[in-house]
Amino acid sequence: MNPSGRIVKAVATLSLIAMTASAQTPDTTAQTAPPPPPPEIKLGLRVETLRQQLKVRPTLVIVPDTASYIRAIEKWTIQERFPVLIDDATDLARENIARFVREFAPKTIIRWQAPDDDRDDVWPDNDDGRCNSLNRAVARAWERESTQELREYWKQLQFAPPGVVVADPNDRAWTAALALAAAHGQPLLFVTTPKGGPSEEIGAEPLAIFDAAIASGLYELGIPYEKRGDEIDAITVCLNMCARVPPPAGKSGSMALTDHLGRASSGERYAWSGLVFGDEATAAYRAMSAIFTRPTVAWLFDGYAADFAPPFAAAKAGDLLKQADFKVELDAPPKGSLAAWRQRARGGVDAGLININTSGHPRWFDLTPGRATTSDIPMLRKPALVHCIHSFSAQWVGDTATIAGRFLHNGAYAYVGSVDEPYLGAFCTPEAFVGRMFALMPLGAAVRRDAEAIWKINVIGDPLITLAKPVARHDEPFVIDGAILVEDEMKAALKDAKFALALADLVILGRDADAVRVIAATLKDRASEAD
């Protein structure tokens, strides 16, 4: 079957499920039709219906600049996808690439740069040109040449976009917007980023302007969005903007941007949302991790006393995860202490799914017994989704001296936490969080209490992340003209005594032990020279 046929068949299957669930039974002797799935699960089904149809090439493409990043994503097709990350020569970018490599386990890792004659018009100096470039890249990832052609193609496939992606071509997080729009089949809505960074609270007036821009963009799409379960059910904001909003009348303390968005004037939710921020390389890493990795190891740390809030004990979540073949690392009373935390965190953490129960403030958290600070937050050896049951952990989410900021800096690609005192009942229990995600609710919906008014839990990351099974892979790596194998580059650098380049490549390849050996050998040689 050709790829278009596969997608049509998959979408038709989902439509049949929905129609069957909602059909009236004409014969009273017939069995009662099952109820339709809740909107949250329907959204997850829609996301996975597409995701499972698009095979993955076991190749990581590393590019040095944003022009090459766009050109590489344009090479995605409706038959296959492959991850693309940016190496901007910073330590953070290379560590993030190494994390991705450890989880994704590519067969090949290549460096590629778009040819000079193919870069001239890819990222112009004006806003309209950049918007056109991003829209064209999304269309090309679906083997079309324009937004209009893509919309017509989606209609032909009977494909309904699950959400929209909000971006600003002058905001450095556009790299995430491009990837998530292309991967999930979502239109881009272009806005001007409001002033203020992720750690700040937006003012009432700029928030109203931002809300109006999103509402206008949704209306102009002409796609149903006003109710949960129609078509547009997700809003992904890829901007370096304020993550906190003012409280509504009668409430106090900051509210979460991602709980504010996607609500009608009545306060009723019509979509779930998430916020992705960061520079070009970091935002790309967070998006590509959401698209291409799925965790197999979970770390559950229960810092509460054994008799405090029993429903929030992490052990039952661990049982669910084990049933799904996760390797589970559980630290719970009487091993919920600072010493136990430091023992687990020493040398880094391999878990791709992390749930933490603690209490405290943005820069410290109490365990049983002991008090930890942000300096105790471990390096993450793989991309991780972190669910943190803790007041204030995400109050200043862009500040690396805070809990959320440090987890994100250390490799988390998604983080769920509170921007203010939410009270314990605002969180889903660890068991409910895991169970809802295993029921195929995407992250943006799985972490929220149903039908609640706007409150304080923020979702940092792609709201359409699921815990469904990994996508099938092609047997052969992706091939692209002009690419260089990082393995070959590393060997040549060692041969030519270009140790800085060799070390950078070893880090990217995730070969930490070899990198240490090269450093040791180099230091030994330098010591001999000094003698």
Side-chain angles (χ1 to χ4, degrees):
M1 182 182 293
N2 63 46
S4 295
R6 287 204 309 271
I7 295 176
V8 169
K9 181 179 179 181
V11 173
T13 300
L14 179 58
S15 299
L16 181 60
I17 292 172
M19 287 190 296
T20 300
S22 61
Q24 296 294 322
T25 305
D27 186 350
T28 57
T29 62
Q31 292 184 350
T32 303
E40 302 94 318
I41 294 177
K42 181 181 176 183
L43 177 59
L45 283 168
R46 292 169 62 197
V47 171
E48 281 304 305
T49 295
L50 175 63
R51 181 173 165 270
Q52 294 295 335
Q53 303 308 308
L54 304 172
K55 282 190 174 183
V56 172
R57 285 285 180 187
T59 297
L60 170 59
V61 178
I62 300 173
V63 297
D65 52 58
T66 53
S68 300
Y69 179 81
I70 292 173
R71 289 299 190 224
I73 289 180
E74 287 180 343
K75 296 183 183 298
W76 287 0
T77 71
I78 56 175
Q79 295 174 292
E80 62 186 24
R81 304 280 165 88
F82 51 85
V84 185
L85 293 176
I86 300 172
D87 179 7
D88 62 6
T90 63
D91 290 342
L92 179 59
R94 288 169 175 171
E95 286 294 340
N96 280 337
I97 293 171
R99 291 183 181 99
F100 186 92
V101 167
R102 294 185 192 106
E103 186 67 81
F104 182 69
K107 283 188 177 180
T108 58
I109 305 172
I110 61 176
R111 290 189 185 275
W112 179 77
Q113 184 170 0
D116 290 342
D117 60 359
D118 194 31
R119 302 162 62 88
D120 295 341
D121 64 340
V122 69
W123 201 237
D125 292 332
N126 60 84
D127 290 0
D128 288 345
R130 290 184 174 187
C131 293
N132 290 337
S133 182
L134 292 175
N135 275 326
R136 182 175 61 241
V138 173
R140 286 180 174 175
W142 285 73
E143 300 181 42
R144 295 299 179 268
E145 282 298 318
S146 69
T147 298
Q148 182 178 353
E149 287 184 21
L150 179 58
R151 302 280 172 79
E152 292 172 353
Y153 183 54
W154 284 344
K155 288 181 180 179
Q156 174 189 336
L157 297 179
Q158 297 180 339
F159 172 79
V164 295
V165 180
V166 180
D168 179 345
N170 297 306
D171 188 296
R172 301 181 73 184
W174 67 260
T175 53
L178 170 57
L180 295 173
H184 294 311
Q186 303 179 99
L188 288 164
L189 298 185
F190 294 107
V191 302
T192 298
T193 305
K195 291 183 179 180
S199 293
E200 299 178 53
E201 180 181 300
I202 193 171
E205 184 176 347
L207 178 61
I209 294 171
F210 182 68
D211 287 343
I214 293 178
S216 176
L218 288 169
Y219 178 79
E220 290 176 3
L221 283 175
I223 301 173
Y225 71 91
E226 295 173 318
K227 295 181 180 179
R228 288 178 296 166
D230 47 18
E231 293 194 14
I232 300 296
D233 269 353
I235 300 173
T236 306
V237 178
C238 296
L239 301 171
N240 288 280
M241 69 171 291
C242 302
R244 294 181 287 129
V245 303
K251 302 291 183 180
S252 62
S254 296
M255 300 290 159
L257 171 72
T258 60
D259 203 10
H260 163 85
L261 296 174
R263 291 180 181 270
S265 58
S266 64
E268 184 177 354
R269 185 186 306 282
Y270 64 82
W272 293 274
S273 71
L275 172 68
V276 183
F277 62 89
D279 59 28
E280 291 88 348
T282 302
Y285 162 78
R286 290 171 180 166
M288 292 294 169
S289 296
I291 296 164
F292 289 101
T293 70
R294 288 297 178 273
T296 58
V297 179
W299 176 33
L300 309 176
F301 194 97
D302 195 342
Y304 292 157
D307 58 351
F308 178 77
F312 283 82
K316 290 184 178 180
D319 293 339
L320 287 177
L321 288 159
K322 289 175 184 177
Q323 291 175 30
D325 296 325
F326 272 67
K327 177 184 176 183
V328 177
E329 298 166 340
L330 174 64
D331 293 299
K335 296 182 179 179
S337 65
L338 176 60
W341 175 282
R342 288 176 172 171
Q343 178 65 28
R344 179 71 69 184
R346 186 173 58 186
V349 170
D350 286 323
L353 180 65
I354 298 173
N355 183 93
I356 299 166
N357 300 353
T358 67
S359 59
H361 282 259
R363 293 190 171 94
W364 54 264
F365 49 106
D366 282 336
L367 305 176
T368 307
R371 173 170 291 183
T373 68
T374 51
S375 63
D376 291 303
I377 292 173
M379 291 298 295
L380 305 180
R381 291 177 48 77
K382 295 181 178 180
L385 188 169
V386 180
H387 182 245
C388 186
I389 301 171
H390 173 107
S391 303
F392 302 105
S393 78
Q395 187 171 43
W396 305 313
V397 73
D399 183 351
T400 59
T402 68
I403 297 169
R406 186 63 60 88
F407 263 115
L408 289 163
H409 181 268
N410 285 5
Y413 66 94
Y415 186 94
V416 178
S418 180
V419 303
D420 197 84
E421 174 56 73
Y423 306 107
L424 191 57
F427 293 99
C428 289
T429 66
E431 181 185 14
F433 162 59
V434 171
R436 287 163 71 91
M437 291 210 72
F438 282 155
L440 214 58
M441 291 187 191
L443 179 66
V447 300
R448 300 206 179 279
R449 296 278 190 170
D450 299 327
E452 291 286 340
I454 179 175
W455 200 233
K456 302 171 186 280
I457 307 302
N458 240 346
V459 175
I460 306 300
D462 177 12
L464 296 180
I465 294 169
T466 66
L467 287 186
K469 66 180 181 179
V471 173
R473 295 193 181 193
H474 286 285
D475 294 331
E476 297 301 322
F478 177 69
V479 177
I480 183 171
D481 291 341
I484 299 172
L485 283 169
V486 173
E487 181 83 16
D488 291 348
E489 181 184 69
M490 180 271 298
K491 291 177 179 177
L494 284 175
K495 183 178 180 181
D496 296 338
K498 297 179 179 178
F499 296 117
L501 176 58
L503 282 171
D505 284 345
L506 285 169
V507 169
I508 283 172
L509 290 166
R511 292 170 54 176
D512 301 329
D514 290 336
V516 171
R517 280 193 285 269
V518 168
I519 292 172
T522 303
L523 292 175
K524 182 179 180 180
D525 290 345
R526 295 288 171 88
S528 299
E529 292 172 7
D531 293 339

